[in-house]
């Protein structure tokens, strides 16, 4: 075979191979949508203290794996412990004040019972004195009638003087007895009024003390809330990892003053990673959630991840930018926009544990799966 024939055969073979691969690439592109404008995303959780203080301990190193709840920082807690002791002392004082008020209420209640018993006794004495007055009035009335009758008889000389004197003495004794009974009645009535006044005063004192108990109970609740707040503030001096992952970007040193709300480091979660792929809007016609995605990670050439289309962003990336474009101003130039697409990853892949948020990837969405 001469050289010309050999070249012709070789050219045909090369052309056939090119056509085959070109057709395969055409078929692949026909059923896939690809983009290299994609990167791995994940949860980057800032570690933010809830209390201010000086850093006493740092219990991790940069890029160290941590578990949720691991202690990262410890702040100086001397001030917070003093506040806790003050809150405990204030609570004990309020409890003691409430106890004193309860004792005073008990004493007042006993006094009221005693006063009520005294009132009842005085009322009984009034009833007895009233009965004595009634009896004395009857005796005095009879003695007066006898005295008047014997006076007439004495004038007529039909009764002796001695008998008249006895009737007169009986009248005087009845009058004296009536005055004594009336005096006893007034005394008993005065005792009823005094006992009633004492009961009213003691009742007022008890109501006032019960009001103090209500105030003391409110103070106790306030002190209990202050105590719980002091305990909570003390617990904030121990700063823990919010999630499991890798702790990075530490920005404080031992002895440095940190403020509540100041980010001191970040924990990159390793349990929830995904890919954000920015597809052109013209590529989304046949794309839908659930389709299979082949993912090529730039850092690990040759190793691939498998995922599926999860969801589409609510707007283009330009709309979320700091200065979104306003096409109503000046000359208009149409630019194809990109839509962020979230791609969920299969976590059982060995490559999943190696990737990190921010890594660049190339994705290919299979439109027929």
């Amino acid at each position: 075979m001469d050289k010309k024939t050999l070249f012709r055969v070789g050219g045909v073979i090369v052309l056939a191979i090119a056509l085959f691969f070109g057709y395969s690439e055409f078929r692949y592109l026909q059923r896939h949508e690809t983009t290299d404008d994609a990167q791995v995303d994940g949860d980057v959780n800032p570690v933010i203290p809830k209390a201010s203080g000086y850093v006493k301990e740092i219990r991790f190193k940069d890029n160290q794996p941590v578990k949720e709840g691991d202690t990262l920082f410890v702040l100086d807690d001397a001030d917070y412990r003093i506040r806790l002791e003050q809150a405990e002392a204030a609570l004990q004082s309020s409890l003691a004040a409430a106890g004193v008020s309860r004792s005073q209420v008990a004493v007042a209640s006993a006094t009221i019972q005693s006063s009520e018993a005294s009132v009842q006794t005085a009322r009984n004495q009034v009833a007895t004195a009233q009965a004595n007055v009634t009896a004395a009035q009857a005796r005095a009335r009879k003695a007066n009638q006898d005295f008047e009758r014997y006076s007439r008889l004495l004038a007529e000389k039909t009764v002796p003087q001695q008998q008249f004197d006895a009737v007169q003495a009986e009248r005087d004794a009845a009058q004296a007895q009536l005055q004594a009974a009336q005096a006893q009645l007034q005394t008993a009535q005065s005792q009823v009024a005094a006992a009633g006044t004492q009961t009213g005063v003691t009742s007022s004192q008890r109501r006032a003390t019960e009001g103090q108990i209500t105030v003391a109970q409110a103070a106790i609740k306030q002190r209990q809330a202050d105590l719980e707040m002091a305990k909570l503030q003390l617990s904030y001096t121990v700063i823990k990892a919010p999630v499991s992952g890798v702790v990075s970007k530490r920005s404080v040193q031992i002895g440095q003053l940190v403020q509540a709300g100041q980010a001191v480091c970040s924990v990159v979660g390793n349990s929830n990673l995904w890919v954000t792929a920015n597809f052109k809007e013209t590529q989304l016609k046949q794309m839908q959630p659930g389709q299979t995605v082949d993912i090529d990670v730039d850092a690990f050439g040759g190793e691939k991840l498998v995922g599926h289309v999860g969801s589409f962003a609510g707007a283009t990336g330009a709309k979320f930018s700091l200065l979104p474009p306003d096409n109503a101003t000046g000359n208009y130039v149409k630019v194809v926009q990109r839509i962020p697409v979230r791609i969920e990853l299969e976590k059982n892949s060995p490559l999943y544990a190696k990737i990190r948020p921010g890594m660049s990837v190339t994705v290919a969405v299979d439109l027929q799966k």
Side-chain angles (χ1 to χ4, degrees):
M1 183 179 296
D2 57 13
K3 290 184 179 181
K4 291 183 179 181
T5 304
L6 183 61
F7 282 130
R8 291 193 185 98
V9 172
V12 171
I13 294 174
V14 170
L15 180 60
I17 293 174
L19 290 174
F20 174 77
F21 282 106
Y23 178 76
S24 299
E25 182 68 18
F26 171 76
R27 290 287 298 170
Y28 182 85
L29 294 176
Q30 195 175 33
R31 59 176 293 179
H32 289 79
E33 290 291 356
T34 65
T35 183
D36 59 358
D37 186 358
Q39 63 280 330
V40 178
D41 272 334
D43 296 322
V44 180
N45 303 276
V47 177
I48 301 176
K50 297 180 180 180
S52 302
Y54 291 93
V55 178
K56 184 179 180 180
E57 297 180 37
I58 298 177
R59 298 185 180 179
F60 73 94
K61 296 180 180 179
D62 281 337
N63 305 324
Q64 173 183 327
V66 294
K67 295 181 179 179
E68 181 179 355
D70 287 350
T71 299
L72 303 179
F73 295 91
V74 177
L75 303 181
D76 187 359
D77 60 358
D79 293 343
Y80 296 98
R81 290 191 179 278
I82 292 174
R83 294 175 190 173
L84 177 60
E85 292 175 358
Q86 290 175 339
E88 290 175 344
L91 176 60
Q92 293 301 322
S93 177
S94 296
L95 290 172
V100 171
S101 297
R102 292 191 184 96
S103 299
Q104 291 176 347
V105 167
V107 172
S109 298
T111 304
I112 289 174
Q113 291 178 354
S114 176
S115 298
E116 289 175 347
S118 299
V119 169
Q120 187 60 41
T121 300
R123 286 174 179 169
N124 293 335
Q125 291 175 352
V126 167
T128 301
Q130 186 67 50
N132 292 335
V133 168
T134 301
Q137 287 175 343
R139 181 183 175 187
R141 187 166 51 252
K142 181 178 181 302
N144 287 330
Q145 292 174 353
D146 291 343
F147 177 77
E148 292 176 359
R149 185 170 59 252
Y150 275 87
S151 295
R152 290 193 299 271
L153 293 175
L154 180 64
E156 296 174 356
K157 305 295 184 179
T158 57
V159 295
Q161 182 68 37
Q162 181 179 5
Q163 191 174 4
F164 174 78
D165 292 341
V167 172
Q168 186 177 12
E170 177 64 22
R171 187 199 66 173
D172 294 340
Q175 290 291 339
Q177 186 177 7
L178 175 59
Q179 293 176 356
Q182 290 174 341
Q184 290 178 352
L185 177 60
Q186 291 178 354
T187 301
Q189 290 174 340
S190 298
Q191 290 176 349
V192 169
T197 301
Q198 179 63 34
T199 301
V201 171
T202 307
S203 298
S204 299
Q205 292 176 348
R206 185 177 69 175
R207 287 193 295 270
T209 306
E210 288 174 344
Q212 292 176 354
I213 290 178
T214 302
V215 174
Q217 289 174 340
I220 288 173
K221 290 184 179 180
Q222 179 63 47
R223 299 309 178 193
Q224 288 174 337
D226 292 342
L227 178 60
E228 293 301 320
M229 177 58 71
K231 290 180 179 179
L232 188 62
Q233 290 292 327
L234 180 60
S235 69
Y236 289 160
T237 60
V238 179
I239 304 169
K240 300 181 179 181
V243 295
S244 298
V246 178
V247 59
S248 302
K249 201 177 178 181
R250 188 186 75 183
S251 60
V252 295
Q253 302 294 333
I254 292 179
Q256 182 177 341
L257 175 64
V258 297
Q259 301 293 337
Q262 172 186 346
V264 293
C265 63
S266 298
V267 177
V268 182
N270 54 15
S271 61
N272 184 29
L273 299 176
W274 67 92
V275 168
T276 299
N278 300 299
F279 284 96
K280 296 178 181 179
E281 55 187 331
T282 55
Q283 294 179 284
L284 302 181
K285 182 178 181 180
Q286 301 182 51
M287 199 177 299
Q288 58 186 357
Q291 292 174 333
T292 302
V293 182
D294 294 328
I295 303 165
D296 186 3
V297 184
D298 292 2
F300 307 101
E303 296 188 57
K304 294 183 180 296
L305 280 170
V306 178
H308 63 273
V309 177
S311 59
F312 300 89
T316 65
K319 283 297 182 181
F320 292 116
S321 64
L322 182 61
L323 297 174
D326 186 355
N327 294 331
T329 61
N331 296 325
Y332 169 66
V333 177
K334 183 175 182 179
V335 177
V336 177
Q337 301 297 313
R338 290 184 178 266
I339 305 291
V341 178
R342 180 179 175 121
I343 299 173
E344 306 293 346
L345 303 177
E346 293 185 0
K347 299 181 180 180
N348 56 1
S349 172
L351 188 59
Y352 184 87
K354 298 180 182 180
I355 60 176
R356 296 290 184 270
M359 285 184 171
S360 298
V361 299
T362 300
V363 300
V365 179
D366 190 343
L367 301 177
Q368 299 182 5
K369 289 186 180 181

